[in-house]
């Protein structure tokens, strides 16, 4: 294994952890009764939610770049 493979592993675990920490904006009851079927909510994210969203985007970009690098090096 190359060092980049360890980076991919760490980034994947971090990405999963950050996504699991985020709150879901959808309610399970809305899926069954059809109420509030808006695709995009008009509320802006603030505070910790905004921070987690930005960390998720950054980790996702780093993960994809590291996977592409790992495939290119193998």
């Amino acid at each position: 294994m190359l060092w980049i493979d360890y980076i991919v592993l760490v980034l994947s675990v971090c990405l999963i952890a950050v996504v699991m920490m985020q709150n879901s904006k959808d309610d399970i009851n809305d899926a069954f009764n059809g109420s509030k079927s808006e695709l995009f909510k008009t509320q802006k994210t603030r505070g910790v939610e905004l921070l987690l969203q930005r960390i998720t985007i950054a980790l996702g970009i780093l993960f994809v770049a590291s996977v592409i690098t790992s495939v290119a090096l193998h």
Side-chain angles (χ1 to χ4, degrees):
M1 272 179 102
L2 294 174
W3 55 272
I4 193 74
D5 295 334
Y6 293 112
I7 292 174
V8 170
L9 180 66
V10 169
L11 284 174
S12 65
V13 170
C14 290
L15 187 60
I16 290 169
V18 171
V19 168
M20 292 299 291
M21 285 191 290
Q22 293 179 0
N23 288 333
S24 175
K25 293 183 174 114
D26 295 329
D27 189 14
I28 192 67
N29 294 329
D30 294 343
F32 293 113
N33 61 16
S35 65
K36 294 184 181 179
S37 62
E38 299 175 17
L39 183 59
F40 298 104
K41 304 282 183 179
T42 57
Q43 297 177 348
K44 286 191 169 191
T45 55
R46 293 188 177 102
V48 177
E49 292 177 2
L50 180 62
L51 179 66
L52 286 175
Q53 183 179 11
R54 289 182 178 169
I55 291 173
T56 303
I57 292 170
L59 283 174
I61 292 170
L62 288 173
F63 177 74
V64 169
S66 63
V67 167
I68 292 171
T69 305
S70 175
V71 169
L73 289 177
H74 286 343

